[in-house]
Amino acid sequence: MSLKQQLTDDMKAAMKSGEKDRLATIRLINAAIKQREVDERITLDDAAVLAVLEKMVKQRKDSISQSASAGRADLAAVEKAELAVIQAYLP
């Protein structure tokens, strides 16, 4: 099963189980993948999807450190939750 198919299946499962935070994060991942596909006019394979996920992880880590240094623990907590979901799809 490809990584994109796994994301779609997990999104459906999150919808059915009512996991709103997980669902929102998976939708963010799918949107980032779709955006790259549209921009480059290609279909991403698993390696390219992993590259998108790694970029998202880096963005979340930067956001967490910036939020923590600004004293915004609430924003850092949201970013940490998203980071955990994204990292679940990395090898």
Side-chain angles (χ1 to χ4, degrees):
M1 175 186 314
S2 72
L3 197 51
K4 286 171 50 175
Q5 184 62 44
Q6 181 182 355
L7 282 163
T8 303
D9 292 346
D10 289 350
M11 184 172 67
K12 290 176 187 176
M15 280 184 203
K16 290 179 182 176
S17 65
E19 297 175 81
K20 292 181 181 180
D21 295 334
R22 182 173 174 78
L23 175 62
T25 304
I26 294 173
R27 283 182 173 161
L28 282 174
I29 295 169
N30 283 333
I33 292 168
K34 190 68 171 172
Q35 183 65 45
R36 180 141 178 233
E37 287 180 339
V38 169
D39 288 348
E40 298 179 13
R41 294 185 176 94
I42 58 171
T43 302
L44 297 181
D45 59 352
D46 279 352
V49 170
L50 284 174
V52 170
L53 290 173
E54 288 168 357
K55 182 179 177 185
M56 292 180 78
V57 165
K58 184 176 183 287
Q59 290 172 340
R60 296 305 177 282
K61 287 181 179 179
D62 290 344
S63 295
I64 289 168
S65 65
Q66 290 175 1
S67 298
S69 65
R72 295 291 308 265
D74 55 332
L75 294 177
V78 171
E79 295 289 339
K80 285 179 185 176
E82 288 179 0
L83 180 63
V85 173
I86 295 168
Q87 285 180 330
Y89 295 102
L90 292 176

